[in-house]
Amino acid sequence: MRNWRICLKRLVCPIFVSCFLLPLSSLFSAPPLVLKESMGGESIWQNLQVLEDPNLNFPMDEVLSGAKDSAFKQVSSPNFGFSKSRFWFKLDVQNPRSEKLDWFLEYNFPLIDEVEIYGKNIPKSTKTLLGDSFPFDERNRDYRNIIFPLEENPNSTSTYYIRLQSESTIPLSIQVYTNKEMIQKMNKEQIIFGLFYGIMFVMAAYNLFIYIFTRDKSYLLYVFFISSISMFHFVNNGLAFQYLWPNWVWWANYSLPFFICFSSFTGLVFATNFLFLRKNAAKLFQFMMYFAYFMGLVGVSTFFFSYRFGMILSIGLTVPSAFIMIFSGVIAFIKKIRTSRYYLIAWSFFLLGVILYSLKSLGVLPDNHITRWTIQIGTALEVILLSLGLADRINYLSRSLKESVRDLSHAKTKIEESEKRFREIFQGSEEVILMLDEEFSVINGNRALSKILGFRLDDVKGKKLTDLLYKGKGHQSDLNTILVNDKITDLKMTGSIINFKTAFAQKYVKEPKEMLCRLQYVVFDETREVIATLSPEIEDTIIQLIDSEKVELAMNNYLRNAELVSQKITFQLAKYLNSIEQTEVRSSIREIIINAVEHGNLNISFEEKSKALIEGNYLEFLQKRQEDPRYRDKKVKIEYTFNKDYVAYRVTDEGKGFDHKKHLERSLEKLNEDNAQHGRGILMAKSVFQRIEYNEKGNQVSLIKYLNQ
């Protein structure tokens, strides 16, 4: 009975294994790698089986002896992301050829910490434990990636075990090559990397030279960004470990998260400057600068964290940095900033490459030929496209400079013309005009000084205003000096216009000259000067003798005559009005006459004058109208009547008239709200005269002021 059971057991077990266990085990197996005469970088992750050791406690002998072969599973993804586990991979290799085959197993990810390979046929000269945790000169080949030279006997089958462990992401970027194809691959990489880093170097040097000649900070910031992103690529590609610091293992690892953060920092700062965000989007500028400083701080702090945490942190923050820079370009484009077009197109390519590479590093995207080179591709496109933007920027600056030079030339011409007109008005005035410094010493004076007082400018230049007063015998001259000093003190304290009457000396006539003096401040860019206007007075006795007066004048269209006429027809009012009231009447009449010239005879509309004043070319515009044959011969008629009861003026122009009712209804508050630079003459007259009447056409106005009220 027992023998029967043993026979049954021996018969059923093989049938069960062949029918059930073998098919199930095939689900977890992978096809062997069949070596060929020519292999040019075929990826073999689908030929691998994986065994994860999360607690790092699997005995090596147990794995290598095959005791755990049943626990290996077929690899489902070529990227394991960041993991603290130790991974064992089993690779079956077949050489169906009748001759020995030399081949290379390349781990195409230079940032892996440890890669170790085990097998019976590994050549003794091959170093089996490599990675960036060991000095670079321990490698089998002077190459940025890890390479294991292997050999396979003819018509043989071998099994290799590969152990991977790293604080960085763990991609299964394992490829196989034969000798010829390996050499070709290295040569192609040298050419590609040479072109890429050559472009980066040329662009950095080019922009540095532009900065030296233009001193535009945008170019210097761009140099910093190009340098930082180039160093990131140099580290990420394994070239920095190969050429710059082959024996600095710690720095070779920790430099990568630092340069990731530093690239984000320089990119954000460059974007704010290149897009003029400080001026056009102040809040966004502040936010980006704060985020940039935060990225710089994170970059420094990565040296104090574990490598894995530093990488996860830096990569995790790079993605929002990319979105922020894209968003800033969109905002600049909406605000129609010229540089935003090239910026948005160029940086979109680059940032897309950063995002794709970050997702690949985090294990979201697979590791393949596209995702492996997305940053290089994006950077190359970014540099090429942004160089077009920089060239456009230079052209734009050149055009702007030419326009600025042309505008400055026009402005210089206008200033010179304005200075000529000012000198003409200044020198042509019938009043003595003195320019004084803040110490009330004479700086300049017009021709009326010689005409009225007999002094040349050289006679009074540098003298105090009080030195020009009449120095006679008695206390009267002392009182004049005290009066003038008091008025000067009033001007200093109040800053308001000061009017008074005093006696000035004459050069050839040793008699006092009674004159009305007006002092007022005029402010320039960095200095303040004083204008002293001296108006000669006719003897008060003559004014007292005038009971009534009637005058009719016809004036041309020169505005300087408005001041002379207004003085002439208001001088006699000193008999009934004080100096302030007399000045108010004179100013109002002058404004009415100017309105008759500008808006009447010269047909200058309110809008035309406003536009010319804003553009700063009103004097040129006025001169053209004065010379226009349609307007140059027109006259302004002024009728003036004065008696003991009232003073009346009638001003008539030869223009088309205007809607006087509309202007009479306007208020000073409304003009101030509209920031109007003119249009206050009628309002001034309304506050001075009791009656203002326009004819129906609007080209004649009558003004009456009662003197006994």
Side-chain angles (χ1 to χ4, degrees):
M1 187 70 178
R2 182 178 178 184
N3 292 333
W4 179 82
R5 289 180 178 177
I6 294 173
C7 293
L8 182 61
K9 183 178 180 180
R10 290 178 178 176
L11 180 63
V12 171
C13 286
I15 296 174
F16 177 78
V17 170
S18 62
C19 295
F20 296 99
L21 294 183
L22 288 178
L24 288 174
S25 64
S26 65
L27 295 174
F28 304 101
S29 64
L33 172 63
V34 180
L35 300 180
K36 296 177 292 186
E37 181 180 3
S38 176
M39 295 181 294
E42 290 85 349
S43 178
I44 64 170
W45 70 270
Q46 292 178 328
N47 301 101
L48 298 173
Q49 295 179 359
V50 62
L51 174 63
E52 183 176 0
D53 182 6
N55 299 319
L56 312 181
N57 56 5
F58 288 176
M60 181 185 300
D61 295 340
E62 188 175 344
V63 176
L64 298 179
S65 65
K68 286 188 174 291
D69 283 0
S70 60
F72 278 84
K73 299 178 182 180
Q74 188 172 2
V75 176
S76 59
S77 172
N79 198 318
F80 290 83
F82 288 93
S83 177
K84 296 181 179 180
S85 300
R86 177 184 295 157
F87 293 93
W88 289 90
F89 297 93
K90 180 174 176 287
L91 175 64
D92 295 324
V93 179
Q94 293 181 358
N95 180 16
R97 297 172 54 80
S98 58
E99 55 188 37
K100 185 179 179 180
L101 181 65
D102 294 328
W103 61 291
F104 295 92
L105 185 72
E106 178 191 18
Y107 193 88
N108 192 4
F109 183 69
L111 306 178
I112 196 74
D113 289 348
E114 293 183 14
V115 181
E116 189 170 11
I117 189 169
Y118 303 89
K120 295 181 180 180
N121 298 326
I122 298 177
K124 294 182 179 180
S125 60
T126 299
K127 297 178 181 178
T128 59
L129 178 59
L130 300 173
D132 67 355
S133 296
F134 308 97
F136 187 84
D137 57 8
E138 294 183 5
R139 299 195 175 187
N140 293 304
R141 295 289 187 273
D142 186 15
Y143 183 55
R144 64 186 188 92
N145 288 330
I146 295 171
I147 296 178
F148 296 106
L150 302 173
E151 58 185 28
E152 205 65 34
N153 294 323
N155 299 316
S156 64
T157 299
S158 302
T159 298
Y160 294 92
Y161 291 93
I162 303 171
R163 180 179 64 84
L164 292 180
Q165 187 173 348
S166 183
E167 290 191 358
S168 65
T169 182
I170 303 178
L172 281 185
S173 183
I174 303 178
Q175 300 165 350
V176 292
Y177 292 87
T178 48
N179 187 63
K180 178 181 178 181
E181 284 71 20
M182 190 72 224
I183 295 174
Q184 290 177 349
K185 187 241 186 184
M186 291 181 177
N187 292 335
K188 288 179 181 179
E189 278 192 355
Q190 292 295 325
I191 295 173
I192 293 173
F193 283 131
L195 289 174
F196 174 74
Y197 290 108
I199 291 173
M200 302 299 286
F201 175 78
V202 169
M203 287 305 303
Y206 170 71
N207 285 278
L208 181 60
F209 283 125
I210 294 179
Y211 167 73
I212 293 173
F213 289 109
T214 65
R215 294 297 176 181
D216 189 338
K217 191 167 62 175
S218 296
Y219 296 98
L220 182 61
L221 295 176
Y222 189 52
V223 171
F224 287 145
F225 174 74
I226 293 177
S227 302
S228 61
I229 201 68
S230 298
M231 285 305 302
F232 160 74
H233 285 298
F234 214 55
V235 174
N236 188 59
N237 294 330
L239 297 173
F241 192 33
Q242 180 180 0
Y243 295 110
L244 298 183
W245 40 75
N247 297 315
W248 297 1
V249 175
W250 180 86
W251 174 250
N253 280 277
Y254 279 87
S255 59
L256 182 60
F258 169 75
F259 282 117
I260 290 175
C261 294
F262 189 64
S263 299
S264 298
F265 167 77
T266 54
L268 287 165
V269 175
F270 169 74
T272 59
N273 188 273
F274 187 75
L275 296 174
F276 306 102
L277 295 183
R278 182 194 293 271
K279 177 181 178 182
N280 297 285
K283 292 184 178 179
L284 178 60
F285 168 79
Q286 292 179 351
F287 172 75
M288 291 181 65
M289 291 302 297
Y290 286 138
F291 198 87
Y293 295 142
F294 173 70
M295 289 299 296
L297 181 63
V298 171
V300 175
S301 64
T302 55
F303 295 113
F304 303 96
F305 300 140
S306 67
Y307 176 77
R308 176 181 286 110
F309 181 77
M311 282 295 296
I312 295 175
L313 181 63
S314 59
I315 293 174
L317 290 174
T318 298
V319 176
S321 299
F323 282 112
I324 291 171
M325 283 187 273
I326 292 177
F327 177 74
S328 67
V330 173
I331 294 299
F333 182 78
I334 293 174
K335 292 182 175 292
K336 297 181 180 180
I337 301 173
R338 180 182 180 88
T339 54
S340 64
R341 295 176 297 172
Y342 291 98
Y343 171 89
L344 201 56
I345 297 173
W347 285 72
S348 294
F349 281 104
F350 169 74
L351 297 176
L352 179 62
V354 172
I355 294 171
L356 293 176
Y357 186 83
S358 300
L359 295 176
K360 188 270 294 185
S361 299
L362 293 172
V364 178
L365 295 178
D367 179 44
N368 52 46
H369 291 290
I370 297 177
T371 58
R372 195 178 306 145
W373 298 95
T374 52
I375 292 185
Q376 285 84 356
I377 296 172
T379 303
L381 292 174
E382 180 264 347
V383 169
I384 293 172
L385 292 171
L386 198 56
S387 65
L388 298 177
L390 292 172
D392 178 74
R393 183 186 178 100
I394 295 173
N395 293 333
Y396 177 73
L397 290 174
S398 178
R399 291 194 300 269
S400 299
L401 181 61
K402 291 180 181 178
E403 292 175 359
S404 298
V405 171
R406 185 168 58 251
D407 292 341
L408 286 174
S409 178
H410 293 331
K412 180 181 178 182
T413 302
K414 292 179 181 178
I415 291 172
E416 291 175 350
E417 293 176 355
S418 298
E419 288 178 349
K420 290 178 181 178
R421 290 187 176 88
F422 170 76
R423 285 195 297 269
E424 182 180 349
I425 296 173
F426 177 73
Q427 296 294 348
S429 176
E430 295 296 325
E431 298 176 317
V432 178
I433 301 177
L434 300 175
M435 299 295 296
L436 313 174
D437 60 21
E438 291 194 84
E439 300 300 325
F440 291 86
S441 299
V442 177
I443 301 174
N444 198 359
N446 63 348
R447 288 193 294 263
L449 174 67
S450 176
K451 180 179 178 181
I452 296 175
L453 298 179
F455 294 104
R456 295 181 304 168
L457 178 60
D458 293 339
D459 297 331
V460 300
K461 195 170 185 178
K463 291 186 177 181
K464 300 285 187 180
L465 180 64
T466 52
D467 295 336
L468 306 182
L469 299 177
Y470 176 72
K471 309 295 185 185
K473 296 180 180 180
H475 298 288
Q476 187 61 39
S477 60
D478 295 333
L479 293 175
N480 283 344
T481 303
I482 294 173
L483 171 66
V484 173
N485 285 327
D486 288 343
K487 297 300 181 181
I488 290 174
T489 302
D490 290 344
L491 178 65
K492 291 179 178 179
M493 293 179 62
T494 64
S496 302
I497 297 175
I498 302 298
N499 292 284
F500 58 93
K501 184 171 66 174
T502 188
F504 284 86
Q506 300 179 78
K507 183 175 183 179
Y508 300 108
V509 180
K510 304 304 180 181
E511 296 177 355
K513 181 70 172 181
E514 292 288 337
M515 304 188 76
L516 290 174
C517 182
R518 180 172 69 250
L519 301 178
Q520 65 185 94
Y521 279 120
V522 57
V523 180
F524 297 98
D525 291 338
E526 298 180 355
T527 60
R528 186 173 64 168
E529 297 179 0
V530 180
I531 295 179
T533 306
L534 313 180
S535 303
E537 275 206 329
I538 300 176
E539 294 293 335
D540 290 343
T541 54
I542 297 177
I543 297 176
Q544 298 299 326
L545 294 175
I546 300 176
D547 280 337
S548 64
E549 186 176 32
K550 185 174 182 180
V551 176
E552 292 186 7
L553 300 170
M555 194 190 88
N556 58 19
N557 295 318
Y558 291 109
L559 297 186
R560 65 174 178 267
N561 292 332
E563 175 66 25
L564 300 176
V565 172
S566 62
Q567 289 182 13
K568 172 65 178 177
I569 61 180
T570 59
F571 186 76
Q572 289 79 356
L573 299 180
K575 183 175 182 179
Y576 296 102
L577 303 177
N578 59 41
S579 60
I580 295 177
E581 293 173 329
Q582 188 178 3
T583 301
E584 291 176 344
V585 173
R586 179 185 300 130
S587 300
S588 300
I589 289 297
R590 181 181 65 245
E591 292 300 319
I592 293 296
I593 295 174
I594 290 174
N595 283 344
V597 172
E598 292 179 332
H599 305 306
N601 287 354
L602 300 182
N603 195 27
I604 299 174
S605 67
F606 187 89
E607 291 74 17
E608 288 175 326
K609 184 174 181 180
S610 299
K611 180 181 178 182
L613 288 172
I614 292 173
E615 294 176 353
N617 60 353
Y618 181 67
L619 292 178
E620 291 82 358
F621 176 73
L622 180 65
Q623 183 181 13
K624 289 180 180 178
R625 286 296 176 95
Q626 290 170 338
E627 297 171 354
D628 193 319
R630 295 174 295 175
Y631 311 116
R632 65 187 179 192
D633 296 327
K634 292 184 177 181
K635 303 292 184 181
V636 176
K637 183 179 180 182
I638 301 115
E639 300 173 78
Y640 152 65
T641 300
F642 164 71
N643 58 44
K644 63 179 181 178
D645 297 318
Y646 64 87
V647 61
Y649 303 95
R650 181 181 292 134
V651 180
T652 307
D653 62 69
E654 298 183 51
K656 299 177 181 179
F658 72 108
D659 186 2
H660 55 276
K661 295 180 180 179
K662 175 182 177 181
H663 287 268
L664 287 171
E665 293 172 355
R666 299 183 72 180
S667 63
L668 183 60
E669 291 76 11
K670 178 63 176 174
L671 286 174
N672 292 333
E673 290 177 2
D674 297 339
N675 294 320
Q677 301 185 40
H678 60 102
R680 292 173 171 80
I682 297 177
L683 294 178
M684 184 187 299
K686 282 176 61 178
S687 65
V688 174
F689 293 93
Q690 281 77 34
R691 291 179 59 184
I692 299 179
E693 297 179 359
Y694 279 88
N695 64 357
E696 187 65 27
K697 184 178 180 181
N699 69 332
Q700 183 183 87
V701 59
S702 300
L703 307 101
I704 298 177
K705 182 176 181 64
Y706 298 103
L707 303 177
N708 294 323
Q709 294 183 354

